[in-house]
Amino acid sequence: MIIDGKKEAEVLRNEIKKEISLLQEKTKKVPTLSVILIGNYAPSEIYVKNKVLKSKEVGINSNIIRYPDNVSENEILKKIIELNEDSKVSGILVQLPLPKQINKEKIINLIHPSKDVDGFHPVNVGNLASGYQAITPCTPLGCTLLIKKIEKNLSGKHAVIVGRSNLNGKPMAQLLLKENCTVTIVHSKTKNIKVECSKADILVVAIGVPNFVKKDWVKEGSIVIDVGINKLENKIVGDVKFEEVKAKVKAITPVPGGVGPMTIACLLKNTLECFKAHLI
Ligand code: GUN
C-alpha cells in the first residue's frame, strides 16, 4: 500500500479549518503565524511560500518577514522579542538554515515556548522527552499520524529510525517511545545499519541520502516512512529506493506526496494549538 500523504494532509487541514472557523465565531480572533525568512535560499523560498499558502487556506493569517542574507543577529533577536510581545501573534517560525553570522541556538532559545510552532525550543524538546504536553516538531508529528493511520496500536513494535537530527530523528524517537514502541536510532557511526533496519516493523528514514535504503534492508510487511527530499537528476527522490521497496512492505510513503504535505499540515495544527493556548 502506498500511503497518500496528500490526502491525509487534506483531511487534517479540513479539520483545522473547521475548528478555526468555530473559534473565530466565538472569539472574533484568528490565529496568526509570523515567518522570518533570511536570504534567498531557493528551497526555503519554496517551503515558506507553501506554508503561507496553506495557512491562508485554513484561515490562519500569516506573514513573511524578510531579511537580506547579511542581516545582523541582533536585528533578528530584536524582531523575535517584538513578536513574542505581540498578543496578535500566535506562532513564530524562523526558517532554517540561517546564514553563518546568526547563531541558531540563540534564535531558537529566544522564541517564547508558547509561540514555538516548530517545537524546537528546549522547553518543548524537554517536555516531549518527559512525555508531557509539548509542541512537537512538525515532520515527526506528521510521520506519527501517518503511521497510526496504518496501525492504530504500535505497542511493542520495533521502530528503527535512520538519522539522529534534532529536527527529525530525535523527536521521532520520543513520539514512538510514547506509543510504546521499542526504538532504535541508527546513524552514520552505526556499525551495521542494514542489519538494524531489517529488524524494523516501522522504519523511518531521515538521513538525506538519495535511495539509501534498499529492498534487502527492509522486513517483509513493515511500514516504511521516507522523510528524505533529495534532488537527483532533476527529479525529487526520497531516502528509500521506492520502486523496489514498495513490493515488499505493508505500507510506504512516496516522495513527493508522502511526509511533505503532512509536515505543513502539522505546522498549521501547531499554530492552531498555540492560538488556543493564548486564548486561555
Ligand atoms: N527548514 C527545513 N525544515 C524546517 C522546519 O521544519 N522548520 C524550520 N523553521 N525550518 C526548516
Side-chain angles (χ1 to χ4, degrees):
M1 173 199 180
I2 296 168
I3 301 170
D4 189 346
K6 255 171 98 172
K7 191 191 86 190
E8 297 302 341
E10 194 182 339
V11 171
L12 182 55
R13 285 200 307 274
N14 281 335
E15 287 170 19
I16 293 166
K17 189 174 177 174
K18 262 189 217 150
E19 194 172 348
I20 289 175
S21 165
L22 287 173
L23 283 168
Q24 188 180 3
E25 265 178 44
K26 245 184 20 202
T27 66
K28 310 289 171 218
K29 290 178 183 168
V30 291
T32 295
L33 173 64
S34 290
V35 180
I36 294 180
L37 177 59
I38 306 170
N40 40 26
Y41 178 56
S44 290
E45 290 275 353
I46 296 168
Y47 290 141
V48 166
K49 207 176 102 190
N50 253 324
K51 287 171 184 179
V52 168
L53 197 80
K54 296 296 179 201
S55 294
K56 294 218 159 80
E57 271 180 37
V58 299
I60 292 172
N61 171 25
S62 71
N63 62 304
I64 307 175
I65 306 161
R66 286 178 181 270
Y67 292 94
D69 202 45
N70 62 356
V71 67
S72 72
E73 185 180 85
N74 254 342
E75 194 162 340
I76 302 301
L77 294 172
K78 258 182 15 208
K79 178 49 85 175
I80 292 174
I81 292 171
E82 184 191 314
L83 296 171
N84 278 341
E85 288 170 355
D86 186 342
S87 63
K88 287 193 293 298
V89 174
S90 324
I92 304 165
L93 184 148
V94 180
Q95 185 67 22
L96 305 175
L98 299 172
K100 55 185 176 311
Q101 75 276 15
I102 298 176
N103 181 329
K104 183 172 83 177
E105 194 179 334
K106 257 196 196 167
I107 298 292
I108 289 173
N109 284 352
L110 190 63
I111 296 172
H112 195 280
S114 69
K115 296 193 177 189
D116 169 35
V117 285
D118 269 321
F120 294 164
H121 191 285
V123 164
N124 284 314
V125 175
N127 279 337
L128 178 65
S130 304
Y132 302 150
Q133 195 178 330
I135 303 171
T136 306
C138 308
T139 300
L141 179 58
C143 292
T144 308
L145 295 175
L146 290 179
I147 296 165
K148 291 202 73 171
K149 287 276 172 187
I150 306 296
E151 195 93 48
K152 270 211 168 62
N153 183 6
L154 304 180
S155 185
K157 300 275 181 206
H158 189 181
V160 176
I161 298 156
V162 184
R164 55 174 158 176
S165 70
N166 291 339
L167 218 78
N168 294 308
K170 285 185 209 159
M172 192 70 236
Q174 300 297 356
L175 285 168
L176 292 172
L177 269 178
K178 233 174 158 173
E179 295 292 334
N180 298 313
C181 290
T182 303
V183 178
T184 303
I185 302 183
V186 301
H187 49 77
S188 57
K189 301 288 185 289
T190 299
K191 288 279 189 291
N192 197 335
I193 295 187
K194 177 180 164 180
V195 167
E196 296 302 329
C197 288
S198 66
K199 296 179 199 160
D201 301 310
I202 296 159
L203 182 65
V204 181
V205 193
I207 196 164
V209 178
N211 298 322
F212 184 70
V213 171
K214 323 281 190 294
K215 183 178 162 189
D216 57 339
W217 292 37
V218 300
K219 184 159 138 183
E220 223 158 287
S222 59
I223 299 173
V224 177
I225 305 292
D226 190 348
V227 179
I229 303 175
N230 311 292
K231 211 167 170 187
L232 192 68
E233 295 151 8
N234 278 332
K235 231 176 62 181
I236 301 291
V237 301
D239 292 351
V240 178
K241 258 193 148 169
F242 180 78
E243 284 305 327
E244 60 174 58
V245 170
K246 82 171 179 205
K248 195 172 174 186
V249 298
K250 179 178 178 184
I252 183 168
T253 58
V255 178
V259 173
M262 282 302 278
T263 295
I264 296 191
C266 286
L267 171 69
L268 309 179
K269 183 175 160 67
N270 283 350
T271 306
L272 171 57
E273 292 306 321
C274 289
F275 171 68
K276 281 157 64 179
H278 290 121
L279 285 175
I280 297 164

